[in-house]
């Protein structure tokens, strides 16, 4: 069964850094675009990054651009999210997901197209 397992979350002070990992199993990671999303209580999912299946295109919203970097290692079936200059508003549960879209590029706006959701990993940014 296709699934992701996210890890690497924790408590970090404002301005700090974390690297999240997302291990895939049950499917061929290199056939999918991969995205990271986050959710806080009472809010909708927010896409924070995606990377296309070839790894040569990434996409970020303005809220995290320049601070977050997504990368993938298809050989290890793992996707990473390196987060720097963290802010209290980055506090959320972070999830990874996949889409088999035929486009060459990943699209965070097409939320319904994403699947294989993991359980998430909690990131708390607080002093």
């Amino acid at each position: 069964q296709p699934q992701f397992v996210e890890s690497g979350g924790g408590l970090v002070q404002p301005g700090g850094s974390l690297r999240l990992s997302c291990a895939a199993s049950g499917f061929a990671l290199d056939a999918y675009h991969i995205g990271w999303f986050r959710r806080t209580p009472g809010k909708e999912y927010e896409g924070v990054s995606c990377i296309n299946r070839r790894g040569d295109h990434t996409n970020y919203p303005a809220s995290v651009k320049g601070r977050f970097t997504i990368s993938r290692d298809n050989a290890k079936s793992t996707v990473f999210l390196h987060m720097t200059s963290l802010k209290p508003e980055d506090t959320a549960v972070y999830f990874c997901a996949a889409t088999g879209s035929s486009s060459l590029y990943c699209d965070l706006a097409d939320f319904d197209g994403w699947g294989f959701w993991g359980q998430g990993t909690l990131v708390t940014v607080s002093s």
Side-chain angles (χ1 to χ4, degrees):
Q1 181 173 346
Q3 65 175 354
F4 284 114
V5 177
E6 299 92 343
S7 62
L11 173 64
V12 62
Q13 292 188 341
S17 301
L18 276 177
R19 190 179 81 155
L20 306 183
S21 298
C22 179
S25 62
F27 67 101
L29 186 72
D30 59 2
Y32 293 84
H33 303 325
I34 306 300
W36 280 96
F37 295 78
R38 65 187 180 188
R39 189 176 186 185
T40 54
K43 293 188 177 181
E44 299 292 327
Y45 284 94
E46 177 189 12
V48 296
S49 66
C50 67
I51 186 168
N52 69 344
R53 57 178 58 85
R54 299 190 310 186
D56 60 4
H57 165 76
T58 56
N59 197 357
Y60 305 91
S63 58
V64 307
K65 197 166 188 178
R67 301 189 296 122
F68 290 11
T69 303
I70 189 172
S71 61
R72 64 191 297 161
D73 185 338
N74 288 337
K76 296 183 178 179
S77 294
T78 305
V79 181
F80 303 97
L81 183 67
H82 187 211
M83 306 185 295
T84 63
S85 301
L86 283 162
K87 305 174 182 180
E89 52 263 44
D90 294 319
T91 295
V93 179
Y94 285 71
F95 303 85
C96 48
T99 179
S101 168
S102 60
S103 171
L104 290 176
Y105 309 112
C106 59
D107 181 5
L108 291 168
D110 181 23
F111 183 78
D112 289 340
W114 295 87
F116 303 171
W117 295 91
Q119 295 299 308
T121 185
L122 175 62
V123 172
T124 303
V125 184
S126 175
S127 56

